[in-house]
Amino acid sequence: MFRRTFWFSAGAAAGVWATTKVNRKLRQLHPESLAAQAADKAVEAGHRIREFALDVRAGMLQREAELGEALGLDAAPDDPALPAPRRTRAVEGAAPAPPARRAERPRTTRHPRTHNRNEDH
């Protein structure tokens, strides 16, 4: 009698366990649950991308500071070791050259063409 009771209890427990497992999986696969999971993953990916961008920016600023220090760009402007700044024009006060004119097309005396494709030719 105890043997039958044991196997009956074991079967009932296995059935309850399987039922709860299936119900849990069905709730996970419900469209609203899938949408919430996708939204959570998108927010998580956004945070990871933001952290990556901040790391890249920090590395960029560090490398820029290293290059500026190596090239002497952070030195004071009165430093004699630096060359004088270049002028933008060859001659001070000279006006910029006027833009070049396009060559005009020769005029023809032919009749203008019509672009009506419905016309009989």
Side-chain angles (χ1 to χ4, degrees):
M1 173 104 179
F2 285 111
R3 188 178 294 174
R4 287 183 180 174
T5 307
F6 171 76
W7 286 113
F8 177 77
S9 307
V16 168
W17 176 80
T19 304
T20 56
K21 191 126 176 127
V22 167
N23 284 335
R24 188 177 304 147
K25 190 55 96 172
L26 286 174
R27 274 195 303 263
Q28 284 179 350
L29 296 176
H30 196 265
E32 294 170 357
S33 177
L34 290 176
Q37 289 175 4
D40 290 341
K41 296 233 184 224
V43 168
E44 183 181 324
H47 288 306
R48 283 195 307 246
I49 290 172
R50 184 168 192 257
E51 288 176 10
F52 174 73
L54 291 174
D55 289 344
V56 167
R57 175 171 271 206
M60 181 180 67
L61 290 174
Q62 179 184 359
R63 182 64 179 150
E64 187 175 324
E66 290 172 0
L67 289 173
E69 190 175 300
L71 295 174
L73 297 177
D74 295 333
D78 296 333
D79 191 3
L82 294 178
R86 295 181 182 176
R87 294 186 293 181
T88 56
R89 293 187 192 153
V91 179
E92 290 286 330
R101 296 182 71 188
R102 289 185 5 189
E104 292 186 23
R105 292 176 50 189
R107 296 183 185 247
T108 59
T109 57
R110 295 189 321 178
H111 298 289
R113 293 184 187 180
T114 60
H115 294 290
N116 187 357
R117 294 179 185 238
N118 295 328
E119 220 176 75
D120 292 329
H121 293 284

